[in-house]
Amino acid sequence: MVDYDAAVAAVQDPNADPILLAKIAYENPEFGANVAVNPRCYPGLKRWIAEFGDERARETLAQYGFTADAFGGPVQDQEAPEQAAQQAAEQQPADAYAADQYAAAQQTAADQTAAVQTAADQTAADQYAAQQPAAQAAFEEPVATNPYGFTAEQALTTTDQMLIAQIAQYAPELRACIARNPNTYPALIEWLGQLGDPAINAALAFRQ
């Protein structure tokens, strides 16, 4: 878990690691609003915060035009009025940048995320197949019992880091699948290893 001082430094860093920001938003909901206004907070992370963040984080995103109707509902990206953007800048110490600088940084982060996602999507299936040893036949996919529609196949193969985090949080029966997914980011793998679940531990051993 990211300690408090490290979280404070990261949310105020315009060059923060996007995955670290996602980890902070997931583990420390009180930093959700600060993460949301960081120029390295990519669109997928904003969507997750808009749906699952605390009230302050959702209100902050709403001021920039990011809203979520309900869990799993579409996020509507609307143009934020200049007054709302100015008010958010005054309320959030982490958002110390002018509106034009913020917009430029957000566009750059979005372009980078889109490029990485496209490349990952093209190779995900081959990577997954290549990493499956003969022992794969012994793995029994758990039955998905979560109310959100997350499936074992998603947990095993998705390259979407925010979807992986959502499955880990809201579908505990699929955590063993997340542990086997080659695209699961290191911080989440470390967290899964601390749960002490035999099925998850076996899945983590499979990764090695």
Side-chain angles (χ1 to χ4, degrees), residues 37 59-64 82-96:
V37 298
E59 289 177 353
T60 298
L61 282 171
Q63 292 172 341
Y64 284 98
E82 292 182 1
Q83 292 181 350
Q86 180 62 33
Q87 181 180 3
E90 293 174 354
Q91 292 177 351
Q92 303 299 329
D95 188 19

Side-chain angles (χ1 to χ4, degrees), residues 120 124 127 156-159 161 164 180-185 207:
Q127 289 177 340
L156 286 166
T157 63
T158 182
T159 61
Q161 298 301 309
I164 290 174
R180 296 174 73 92
N181 188 329
N183 304 298
T184 300
Y185 54 92
R207 294 176 66 90

Side-chain angles (χ1 to χ4, degrees), residues 14-123:
N15 298 311
D17 181 356
I19 296 301
L20 176 60
L21 292 176
K23 188 173 188 293
I24 292 172
Y26 177 74
E27 295 181 349
N28 306 88
E30 68 271 22
F31 285 101
N34 300 88
V35 171
V37 298
N38 188 290
R40 298 283 283 170
C41 180
Y42 53 92
L45 179 52
K46 284 186 178 181
R47 177 187 177 92
W48 187 86
I49 294 173
E51 292 180 349
F52 306 109
D54 61 20
E55 182 177 355
R56 176 168 168 262
R58 293 196 301 271
E59 289 177 353
T60 298
L61 282 171
Q63 292 172 341
Y64 284 98
F66 286 85
T67 61
D69 294 335
F71 176 83
V75 173
Q76 300 173 347
D77 187 358
Q78 304 169 341
E79 183 177 359
E82 292 182 1
Q83 292 181 350
Q86 180 62 33
Q87 181 180 3
E90 293 174 354
Q91 292 177 351
Q92 303 299 329
D95 188 19
Y97 309 99
D100 56 343
Q101 293 174 316
Y102 174 80
Q106 286 300 103
Q107 186 60 51
T108 299
D111 291 344
Q112 292 174 345
T113 300
V116 172
Q117 186 66 42
T118 298
D121 288 343
Q122 292 176 348
T123 59

Side-chain angles (χ1 to χ4, degrees), residues 39 61 103 140-141 169 176:
L61 282 171
E140 295 184 4
E141 293 186 1
Q169 182 176 9

Side-chain angles (χ1 to χ4, degrees), residues 101 104 120 132 151 175 178 194 199 208:
Q101 293 174 316
Q132 307 306 303
T151 67
R175 286 172 179 168
I178 289 295
Q194 296 173 358
Q208 302 174 358

Side-chain angles (χ1 to χ4, degrees), residues 151-203:
T151 67
E153 182 179 359
Q154 284 181 312
L156 286 166
T157 63
T158 182
T159 61
D160 187 328
Q161 298 301 309
M162 290 314 304
L163 179 58
I164 290 174
Q166 290 174 11
I167 293 173
Q169 182 176 9
Y170 296 105
E173 75 278 9
L174 300 179
R175 286 172 179 168
C177 296
I178 289 295
R180 296 174 73 92
N181 188 329
N183 304 298
T184 300
Y185 54 92
L188 183 52
I189 290 297
E190 180 181 355
W191 178 76
L192 290 170
Q194 296 173 358
L195 298 179
D197 185 295
I200 294 176
N201 291 340

